[in-house]
Short mmCIF file of all heavy atoms in Angstrom, two decimals:
data_model
loop_
_atom_site.label_atom_id
_atom_site.label_comp_id
_atom_site.label_asym_id
_atom_site.label_seq_id
_atom_site.Cartn_x
_atom_site.Cartn_y
_atom_site.Cartn_z
N ARG A 870 21.91 93.41 93.26
CA ARG A 870 21.29 94.21 92.21
C ARG A 870 20.82 93.37 91.04
O ARG A 870 19.96 93.78 90.26
CB ARG A 870 22.28 95.26 91.69
CG ARG A 870 22.52 96.41 92.65
CD ARG A 870 23.49 97.41 92.05
NE ARG A 870 22.92 98.06 90.88
CZ ARG A 870 22.18 99.15 90.93
NH1 ARG A 870 21.90 99.71 92.08
NH2 ARG A 870 21.71 99.69 89.83
N SER A 871 21.35 92.16 90.89
CA SER A 871 20.95 91.30 89.78
C SER A 871 19.46 90.97 89.83
O SER A 871 18.85 90.62 88.82
CB SER A 871 21.76 90.00 89.79
OG SER A 871 21.59 89.30 91.00
N SER A 872 18.87 91.11 91.03
CA SER A 872 17.43 90.83 91.16
C SER A 872 16.59 91.87 90.45
O SER A 872 15.39 91.69 90.27
CB SER A 872 17.03 90.77 92.64
OG SER A 872 17.26 92.01 93.27
N PHE A 873 17.21 92.99 90.05
CA PHE A 873 16.49 94.05 89.34
C PHE A 873 16.44 93.81 87.83
O PHE A 873 15.76 94.53 87.11
CB PHE A 873 17.16 95.41 89.57
CG PHE A 873 17.03 95.91 90.99
CD1 PHE A 873 17.97 96.79 91.50
CD2 PHE A 873 16.00 95.47 91.80
CE1 PHE A 873 17.85 97.25 92.81
CE2 PHE A 873 15.89 95.93 93.10
CZ PHE A 873 16.82 96.82 93.61
N VAL A 874 17.19 92.82 87.35
CA VAL A 874 17.26 92.58 85.92
C VAL A 874 15.86 92.30 85.37
O VAL A 874 15.13 91.47 85.90
CB VAL A 874 18.18 91.39 85.60
CG1 VAL A 874 18.12 91.07 84.11
CG2 VAL A 874 19.61 91.71 86.01
N GLY A 875 15.48 93.03 84.33
CA GLY A 875 14.18 92.82 83.71
C GLY A 875 13.09 93.71 84.25
O GLY A 875 11.99 93.74 83.71
N LEU A 876 13.38 94.44 85.36
CA LEU A 876 12.37 95.32 85.93
C LEU A 876 12.45 96.70 85.29
O LEU A 876 13.52 97.16 84.91
CB LEU A 876 12.58 95.48 87.44
CG LEU A 876 12.33 94.26 88.33
CD1 LEU A 876 12.57 94.62 89.79
CD2 LEU A 876 10.91 93.73 88.15
N SER A 877 11.31 97.35 85.18
CA SER A 877 11.29 98.72 84.71
C SER A 877 11.89 99.61 85.80
O SER A 877 12.04 99.19 86.95
CB SER A 877 9.86 99.17 84.42
OG SER A 877 9.11 99.23 85.64
N GLU A 878 12.23 100.83 85.43
CA GLU A 878 12.80 101.76 86.41
C GLU A 878 11.82 101.99 87.56
O GLU A 878 12.20 102.06 88.72
CB GLU A 878 13.15 103.09 85.74
CG GLU A 878 13.78 104.10 86.69
CD GLU A 878 14.13 105.40 85.99
OE1 GLU A 878 13.98 105.47 84.75
OE2 GLU A 878 14.54 106.35 86.68
N HIS A 879 10.54 102.10 87.21
CA HIS A 879 9.51 102.32 88.24
C HIS A 879 9.44 101.16 89.21
O HIS A 879 9.40 101.35 90.43
CB HIS A 879 8.15 102.52 87.56
CG HIS A 879 7.01 102.66 88.54
ND1 HIS A 879 6.28 101.57 88.99
CD2 HIS A 879 6.50 103.74 89.18
CE1 HIS A 879 5.37 101.97 89.84
NE2 HIS A 879 5.47 103.29 89.97
N ASP A 880 9.44 99.93 88.67
CA ASP A 880 9.35 98.76 89.54
C ASP A 880 10.61 98.58 90.38
O ASP A 880 10.55 98.15 91.54
CB ASP A 880 9.10 97.50 88.71
CG ASP A 880 7.66 97.41 88.22
OD1 ASP A 880 6.83 98.20 88.70
OD2 ASP A 880 7.37 96.56 87.36
N ALA A 881 11.77 98.90 89.80
CA ALA A 881 13.03 98.80 90.54
C ALA A 881 13.02 99.77 91.73
O ALA A 881 13.43 99.42 92.83
CB ALA A 881 14.21 99.09 89.63
N LYS A 882 12.50 100.97 91.49
CA LYS A 882 12.40 101.95 92.58
C LYS A 882 11.42 101.46 93.64
O LYS A 882 11.64 101.66 94.84
CB LYS A 882 11.95 103.31 92.04
CG LYS A 882 13.03 104.03 91.24
CD LYS A 882 12.53 105.38 90.75
CE LYS A 882 13.63 106.12 89.99
NZ LYS A 882 13.14 107.44 89.49
N ARG A 883 10.34 100.82 93.20
CA ARG A 883 9.36 100.32 94.14
C ARG A 883 9.96 99.21 95.02
O ARG A 883 9.71 99.14 96.23
CB ARG A 883 8.12 99.82 93.40
CG ARG A 883 7.03 99.23 94.29
CD ARG A 883 6.60 100.20 95.39
NE ARG A 883 6.14 101.46 94.89
CZ ARG A 883 4.88 101.72 94.56
NH1 ARG A 883 3.97 100.79 94.68
NH2 ARG A 883 4.55 102.92 94.16
N VAL A 884 10.77 98.35 94.40
CA VAL A 884 11.45 97.30 95.18
C VAL A 884 12.34 97.94 96.24
O VAL A 884 12.37 97.50 97.40
CB VAL A 884 12.28 96.39 94.26
CG1 VAL A 884 13.17 95.46 95.07
CG2 VAL A 884 11.37 95.55 93.37
N MET A 885 13.09 98.96 95.86
CA MET A 885 13.96 99.64 96.82
C MET A 885 13.15 100.27 97.95
O MET A 885 13.55 100.23 99.11
CB MET A 885 14.79 100.72 96.11
CG MET A 885 15.83 100.15 95.16
SD MET A 885 17.12 99.22 96.03
CE MET A 885 18.03 100.55 96.81
N GLN A 886 11.99 100.84 97.60
CA GLN A 886 11.12 101.42 98.63
C GLN A 886 10.65 100.34 99.60
O GLN A 886 10.62 100.55 100.82
CB GLN A 886 9.90 102.09 97.97
CG GLN A 886 10.21 103.39 97.26
CD GLN A 886 8.97 103.95 96.58
OE1 GLN A 886 8.06 103.21 96.19
NE2 GLN A 886 8.92 105.26 96.42
N ILE A 887 10.27 99.20 99.06
CA ILE A 887 9.78 98.11 99.90
C ILE A 887 10.84 97.65 100.88
O ILE A 887 10.59 97.50 102.07
CB ILE A 887 9.30 96.93 99.02
CG1 ILE A 887 7.99 97.31 98.30
CG2 ILE A 887 9.08 95.68 99.87
CD1 ILE A 887 7.53 96.31 97.28
N TRP A 888 12.08 97.43 100.37
CA TRP A 888 13.12 96.93 101.28
C TRP A 888 13.55 98.00 102.28
O TRP A 888 13.97 97.67 103.39
CB TRP A 888 14.31 96.41 100.47
CG TRP A 888 13.99 95.12 99.79
CD1 TRP A 888 13.94 94.88 98.46
CD2 TRP A 888 13.62 93.89 100.43
NE1 TRP A 888 13.56 93.58 98.22
CE2 TRP A 888 13.37 92.95 99.40
CE3 TRP A 888 13.49 93.50 101.76
CZ2 TRP A 888 12.99 91.63 99.67
CZ3 TRP A 888 13.11 92.19 102.03
CH2 TRP A 888 12.87 91.28 101.01
N ALA A 889 13.43 99.27 101.92
CA ALA A 889 13.70 100.33 102.89
C ALA A 889 12.67 100.28 104.02
O ALA A 889 12.99 100.49 105.20
CB ALA A 889 13.69 101.70 102.21
N LEU A 890 11.42 100.01 103.66
CA LEU A 890 10.36 99.87 104.66
C LEU A 890 10.56 98.62 105.51
O LEU A 890 10.34 98.63 106.72
CB LEU A 890 9.00 99.84 103.98
CG LEU A 890 8.52 101.15 103.35
CD1 LEU A 890 7.28 100.90 102.49
CD2 LEU A 890 8.22 102.19 104.43
N VAL A 891 10.97 97.53 104.87
CA VAL A 891 11.22 96.28 105.59
C VAL A 891 12.27 96.50 106.66
O VAL A 891 12.18 95.96 107.77
CB VAL A 891 11.66 95.16 104.62
CG1 VAL A 891 12.16 93.94 105.38
CG2 VAL A 891 10.50 94.77 103.71
N ASP A 892 13.27 97.30 106.34
CA ASP A 892 14.37 97.55 107.27
C ASP A 892 13.90 98.26 108.53
O ASP A 892 14.59 98.25 109.56
CB ASP A 892 15.46 98.38 106.59
CG ASP A 892 16.83 98.13 107.18
OD1 ASP A 892 17.16 96.95 107.42
OD2 ASP A 892 17.57 99.10 107.41
N LYS A 893 12.71 98.88 108.49
CA LYS A 893 12.17 99.60 109.64
C LYS A 893 11.27 98.72 110.51
O LYS A 893 10.79 99.15 111.56
CB LYS A 893 11.38 100.82 109.17
CG LYS A 893 12.23 101.86 108.44
CD LYS A 893 11.37 103.02 107.96
CE LYS A 893 12.20 104.04 107.18
NZ LYS A 893 11.36 105.16 106.70
N MET A 894 11.01 97.50 110.07
CA MET A 894 10.15 96.60 110.82
C MET A 894 10.83 96.14 112.11
O MET A 894 12.06 96.17 112.22
CB MET A 894 9.81 95.36 109.98
CG MET A 894 8.92 95.60 108.79
SD MET A 894 8.61 94.04 107.91
CE MET A 894 7.68 94.64 106.50
N PRO A 895 10.05 95.69 113.10
CA PRO A 895 10.64 95.04 114.28
C PRO A 895 11.53 93.89 113.83
O PRO A 895 11.24 93.23 112.81
CB PRO A 895 9.41 94.54 115.05
CG PRO A 895 8.30 95.44 114.63
CD PRO A 895 8.57 95.77 113.18
N ASP A 896 12.61 93.64 114.55
CA ASP A 896 13.63 92.70 114.10
C ASP A 896 13.09 91.33 113.69
O ASP A 896 13.43 90.81 112.63
CB ASP A 896 14.69 92.51 115.20
CG ASP A 896 15.58 93.73 115.33
OD1 ASP A 896 15.57 94.58 114.42
OD2 ASP A 896 16.30 93.84 116.34
N ARG A 897 12.26 90.74 114.53
CA ARG A 897 11.80 89.39 114.24
C ARG A 897 10.91 89.36 113.00
O ARG A 897 11.02 88.47 112.16
CB ARG A 897 11.06 88.81 115.44
CG ARG A 897 10.68 87.35 115.27
CD ARG A 897 10.39 86.70 116.60
NE ARG A 897 11.60 86.58 117.41
CZ ARG A 897 11.64 86.02 118.62
NH1 ARG A 897 10.54 85.54 119.16
NH2 ARG A 897 12.75 85.93 119.29
N ARG A 898 10.04 90.34 112.88
CA ARG A 898 9.17 90.41 111.71
C ARG A 898 9.99 90.63 110.44
O ARG A 898 9.73 90.03 109.40
CB ARG A 898 8.15 91.53 111.87
CG ARG A 898 7.12 91.61 110.75
CD ARG A 898 6.01 92.57 111.13
NE ARG A 898 5.39 92.13 112.38
CZ ARG A 898 4.67 92.92 113.18
NH1 ARG A 898 4.49 94.19 112.85
NH2 ARG A 898 4.15 92.47 114.29
N ARG A 899 11.00 91.48 110.54
CA ARG A 899 11.88 91.72 109.39
C ARG A 899 12.60 90.44 108.98
O ARG A 899 12.69 90.12 107.79
CB ARG A 899 12.90 92.81 109.76
CG ARG A 899 13.97 93.02 108.70
CD ARG A 899 14.89 94.18 109.08
NE ARG A 899 15.40 94.05 110.43
CZ ARG A 899 16.38 93.22 110.79
NH1 ARG A 899 16.95 92.44 109.89
NH2 ARG A 899 16.81 93.19 112.04
N LEU A 900 13.10 89.69 109.94
CA LEU A 900 13.80 88.44 109.63
C LEU A 900 12.87 87.43 108.95
O LEU A 900 13.25 86.78 107.98
CB LEU A 900 14.39 87.83 110.91
CG LEU A 900 15.67 88.48 111.44
CD1 LEU A 900 16.04 87.85 112.79
CD2 LEU A 900 16.82 88.32 110.46
N VAL A 901 11.66 87.33 109.47
CA VAL A 901 10.69 86.41 108.88
C VAL A 901 10.42 86.80 107.42
O VAL A 901 10.45 85.96 106.52
CB VAL A 901 9.37 86.41 109.67
CG1 VAL A 901 8.26 85.70 108.89
CG2 VAL A 901 9.56 85.73 111.02
N PHE A 902 10.19 88.08 107.19
CA PHE A 902 9.89 88.56 105.84
C PHE A 902 11.07 88.34 104.91
O PHE A 902 10.91 87.87 103.77
CB PHE A 902 9.52 90.04 105.89
CG PHE A 902 8.98 90.56 104.59
CD1 PHE A 902 7.63 90.48 104.29
CD2 PHE A 902 9.84 91.13 103.66
CE1 PHE A 902 7.14 90.95 103.08
CE2 PHE A 902 9.35 91.61 102.44
CZ PHE A 902 8.00 91.52 102.16
N GLU A 903 12.27 88.65 105.37
CA GLU A 903 13.46 88.51 104.52
C GLU A 903 13.73 87.05 104.19
O GLU A 903 14.09 86.71 103.05
CB GLU A 903 14.68 89.13 105.21
CG GLU A 903 14.64 90.65 105.27
CD GLU A 903 15.81 91.25 106.00
OE1 GLU A 903 16.51 90.51 106.73
OE2 GLU A 903 16.03 92.47 105.86
N LEU A 904 13.59 86.18 105.17
CA LEU A 904 13.82 84.76 104.92
C LEU A 904 12.84 84.21 103.89
O LEU A 904 13.19 83.37 103.05
CB LEU A 904 13.72 83.96 106.23
CG LEU A 904 14.91 84.08 107.18
CD1 LEU A 904 14.61 83.38 108.50
CD2 LEU A 904 16.17 83.50 106.56
N HIS A 905 11.61 84.70 103.96
CA HIS A 905 10.58 84.21 103.04
C HIS A 905 10.75 84.80 101.65
O HIS A 905 10.69 84.08 100.64
CB HIS A 905 9.20 84.54 103.60
CG HIS A 905 8.08 83.86 102.87
ND1 HIS A 905 8.09 82.52 102.54
CD2 HIS A 905 6.91 84.35 102.39
CE1 HIS A 905 6.98 82.21 101.91
NE2 HIS A 905 6.25 83.30 101.79
N ARG A 906 10.97 86.14 101.58
CA ARG A 906 10.96 86.81 100.29
C ARG A 906 12.34 86.87 99.62
O ARG A 906 12.43 86.81 98.40
CB ARG A 906 10.42 88.24 100.44
CG ARG A 906 8.96 88.27 100.89
CD ARG A 906 8.08 87.46 99.94
NE ARG A 906 6.70 87.45 100.39
CZ ARG A 906 5.75 86.70 99.87
NH1 ARG A 906 6.04 85.88 98.88
NH2 ARG A 906 4.53 86.73 100.34
N LYS A 907 13.40 87.01 100.40
CA LYS A 907 14.74 87.06 99.80
C LYS A 907 15.32 85.68 99.61
O LYS A 907 15.96 85.39 98.60
CB LYS A 907 15.69 87.88 100.68
CG LYS A 907 15.56 89.39 100.53
CD LYS A 907 16.67 90.08 101.30
CE LYS A 907 16.58 91.60 101.15
NZ LYS A 907 17.64 92.29 101.90
N ASP A 908 15.13 84.81 100.59
CA ASP A 908 15.79 83.51 100.58
C ASP A 908 14.88 82.37 100.11
O ASP A 908 15.34 81.26 99.91
CB ASP A 908 16.35 83.19 101.96
CG ASP A 908 17.43 84.17 102.37
OD1 ASP A 908 18.57 83.99 101.96
OD2 ASP A 908 17.13 85.13 103.11
N GLY A 909 13.59 82.66 99.99
CA GLY A 909 12.68 81.66 99.46
C GLY A 909 12.38 80.52 100.41
O GLY A 909 11.96 79.45 99.97
N LEU A 910 12.57 80.73 101.71
CA LEU A 910 12.28 79.68 102.68
C LEU A 910 10.78 79.59 102.94
O LEU A 910 10.08 80.60 102.92
CB LEU A 910 13.01 79.92 103.99
CG LEU A 910 14.45 79.37 104.08
CD1 LEU A 910 15.36 80.11 103.12
CD2 LEU A 910 14.98 79.47 105.50
N SER A 911 10.30 78.40 103.19
CA SER A 911 8.89 78.21 103.51
C SER A 911 8.62 78.64 104.94
O SER A 911 9.55 78.80 105.75
CB SER A 911 8.51 76.73 103.34
OG SER A 911 9.08 75.94 104.37
N TYR A 912 7.34 78.80 105.28
CA TYR A 912 6.98 79.17 106.64
C TYR A 912 7.47 78.12 107.64
O TYR A 912 7.94 78.45 108.74
CB TYR A 912 5.47 79.33 106.77
CG TYR A 912 4.89 80.56 106.11
CD1 TYR A 912 5.67 81.41 105.33
CD2 TYR A 912 3.54 80.89 106.26
CE1 TYR A 912 5.14 82.53 104.74
CE2 TYR A 912 2.98 82.02 105.66
CZ TYR A 912 3.79 82.83 104.89
OH TYR A 912 3.27 83.95 104.31
N LYS A 913 7.36 76.87 107.26
CA LYS A 913 7.78 75.80 108.18
C LYS A 913 9.29 75.82 108.39
O LYS A 913 9.78 75.59 109.50
CB LYS A 913 7.33 74.44 107.65
CG LYS A 913 5.84 74.22 107.81
CD LYS A 913 5.41 72.82 107.37
CE LYS A 913 3.91 72.64 107.58
NZ LYS A 913 3.44 71.31 107.14
N GLU A 914 10.05 76.09 107.33
CA GLU A 914 11.50 76.20 107.47
C GLU A 914 11.86 77.38 108.37
O GLU A 914 12.74 77.27 109.23
CB GLU A 914 12.14 76.36 106.10
CG GLU A 914 12.14 75.09 105.26
CD GLU A 914 12.68 75.30 103.87
OE1 GLU A 914 12.34 76.33 103.25
OE2 GLU A 914 13.42 74.45 103.39
N ILE A 915 11.17 78.50 108.18
CA ILE A 915 11.44 79.69 109.00
C ILE A 915 11.11 79.41 110.46
O ILE A 915 11.83 79.84 111.37
CB ILE A 915 10.62 80.89 108.49
CG1 ILE A 915 11.08 81.26 107.07
CG2 ILE A 915 10.76 82.09 109.42
CD1 ILE A 915 10.20 82.27 106.38
N SER A 916 10.01 78.70 110.71
CA SER A 916 9.63 78.40 112.10
C SER A 916 10.70 77.56 112.78
O SER A 916 10.98 77.76 113.98
CB SER A 916 8.27 77.67 112.14
OG SER A 916 8.39 76.34 111.67
#
């Protein structure tokens, strides 16, 4: 939840919506997206 610090209520809700949608992605696509956006890994590291 600390990642929400500084966000408006609207933006915080939008982030939650995005991650709820990410959770519905095919497993491999979801992992790629999470590694890149949550963990900050580069495409080459993910590959």
